[in-house]
Amino acid sequence: MRKLLDIDREILSFLKISKNIAQIHQAHAEVVKKGVKQDPVVAFELIWACSSTDSIDYAGKVFAKLEAPNVFHFTALIDGHILLGLVAEAIHLYYEMVGELVHPDSYVTASVLKACGLGLALREGREVHGQVVKLGLSRNRVVGINLMEVYGKCGVFQDAWKVFDDMPEQDAMLRTAMMSCYFDHGRVAEACALFSGVGKKDMLCWTAMIDGLVRNGEMCRALEVFCEMQRENMNPNEVTIVCVLSACSLQGAMEIGRWVHSYLGKFGIDLNRFEGGALINMYSR
DNA sequence: CTAGGGTTAG
C-alpha cells in the first residue's frame, strides 16, 4: 500500500501546474477521490490555486469544508480576496483567524497589512501594528514595507517614517515604497527627494518614479527620467513602457511614442494587452 | 511539510 505522502505528491504536482478553473476542478475531484481533502498541504495548494486564478468563491468553498484551517489556508484565502480588491473581506478573514486562535505569522500579517493599505483601513492597520510588535515581527522586511504603506497611503507620514527608521536596513525597496506613497498624495517634491536618495536604483525604482510623475501630470519630467534610466544602462521593461506610452499620449509626444513603439522588439517586449492598449490610446489621440 | 515583497492605460 502506498503511503499517504506519495499520493499527496502526485496531486500536489498537478495542483501546482493547474492554471485555470477546469484543471482545478479536475484536481479537486482527484483530491476527493483519494480522500486527502483534509490534508493540510493538499488543501493549501488547492485554495492557493483557486485564489491565484480569481476563483475566490471556489476557494471559499474548499476552505469552508476544512475541519482545522491553519495559517496557510487563511493566508491563501486572504491573498485571493486581495487579488480581486475585496480588501474588507480580507481584513475580516484575518480577524476571524485571530478569533479562532490561529497564531499569525509574518506572511499572513504582511497580507492583512497589504489589505489595510489598499483599503485605507488605518484603524485596523494600527491594531495589526500592535500585534506585529507583540509577535516580534517588527524587523521583517515584507511586514515593514506593508506597514509603511498603510501609514503612507493613509497620509500619516510621520508614522510611516517611524516604521522606515526602525527597519534594520533602509534600502532601495523601502525608499521606493515611501516615494510611491508621496506620489499617491501629490507630493512630488518629497517623492523626488526620496528618489535622489536611492543609491543603486533598480528597475522598480526607475519605473515607480516614471509612473509617479505621469500620475501627477509631470509628463516632461517622466520622459526625462526615461531617457536618464537608459543612459544609466537600465533597459525598460513592459511596465516602464506602459507608463512612458501613457505619458507620451497625454503629452502628445508622438515622436517619442513612435520611437518607443519601434524599439519594443529591441527591449525584448512582446505586445500584451497593456502595451497594446497604451499604444492604441496614444495613436488614437 | 506548504507561500511573499516595492512599478502596469483611461
Side-chain angles (χ1 to χ4, degrees), chain A residues 111-162:
Chain A
S111 289
V112 70
L113 286 169
K114 169 67 72 186
C116 292
L118 292 170
L120 302 181
L122 185 56
R123 191 178 55 80
E124 290 85 348
R126 288 197 193 281
E127 272 177 27
V128 177
H129 190 174
Q131 295 162 9
V132 163
V133 175
K134 281 204 198 95
L135 293 163
L137 300 173
S138 307
R139 293 170 64 83
N140 181 287
R141 295 174 49 67
V142 185
V143 169
I145 217 165
N146 287 315
L147 197 46
M148 251 175 53
E149 279 180 359
V150 172
Y151 293 133
K153 282 180 193 298
C154 292
V156 284
F157 285 96
Q158 59 279 32
D159 297 82
W161 279 116
K162 179 85 173 67

Side-chain angles (χ1 to χ4, degrees), chain A residues 256-275:
Chain A
I256 302 173
R258 271 191 222 284
W259 178 78
V260 173
H261 186 183
S262 66
Y263 274 82
L264 284 184
K266 182 190 118 182
F267 296 137
I269 292 166
D270 289 324
L271 277 185
N272 65 23
R273 71 185 174 87
F274 272 124
E275 290 100 67

Side-chain angles (χ1 to χ4, degrees), chain A residues 1-14 30 34 36 39 42:
Chain A
M1 185 184 128
R2 286 194 299 175
K3 287 183 298 189
L4 183 67
L5 208 61
D6 296 329
I7 302 170
D8 280 5
R9 215 166 269 146
E10 264 176 37
I11 296 176
L12 285 178
S13 45
F14 186 54
E30 277 300 301
K34 300 255 170 77
V36 290
D39 180 279
V42 171

Side-chain angles (χ1 to χ4, degrees), chain A residues 171-173 175-176 179 191-210 225 228-230 232-235:
Chain A
D171 59 5
M173 199 184 291
R175 287 181 199 280
T176 304
M179 183 181 91
C192 290
L194 268 155
F195 181 71
S196 310
V198 179
K200 188 90 185 107
K201 298 178 178 71
D202 62 11
M203 182 63 97
L204 268 92
C205 183
W206 284 104
T207 304
M209 179 65 181
I210 293 169
V225 174
E228 192 188 333
M229 87 181 271
Q230 286 171 81
E232 307 270 327
N233 291 321
M234 199 55 100
N235 270 337

Side-chain angles (χ1 to χ4, degrees), chain A residues 191-250:
Chain A
C192 290
L194 268 155
F195 181 71
S196 310
V198 179
K200 188 90 185 107
K201 298 178 178 71
D202 62 11
M203 182 63 97
L204 268 92
C205 183
W206 284 104
T207 304
M209 179 65 181
I210 293 169
D211 172 60
L213 288 169
V214 168
R215 275 165 37 216
N216 283 279
E218 299 275 0
M219 305 307 163
C220 293
R221 290 170 77 183
L223 294 173
E224 277 167 26
V225 174
F226 179 67
C227 295
E228 192 188 333
M229 87 181 271
Q230 286 171 81
R231 282 199 297 277
E232 307 270 327
N233 291 321
M234 199 55 100
N235 270 337
N237 65 11
E238 36 302 279
V239 181
T240 325
I241 296 296
V242 170
C243 297
V244 170
L245 287 177
S246 163
C248 292
S249 163
L250 294 166

Side-chain angles (χ1 to χ4, degrees), chain A residues 87-105:
Chain A
V87 293
E89 291 83 348
I91 295 170
H92 180 78
L93 276 163
Y94 173 82
Y95 279 99
E96 195 181 307
M97 187 193 85
V98 174
E100 288 176 21
L101 303 182
V102 174
H103 193 70
D105 63 5

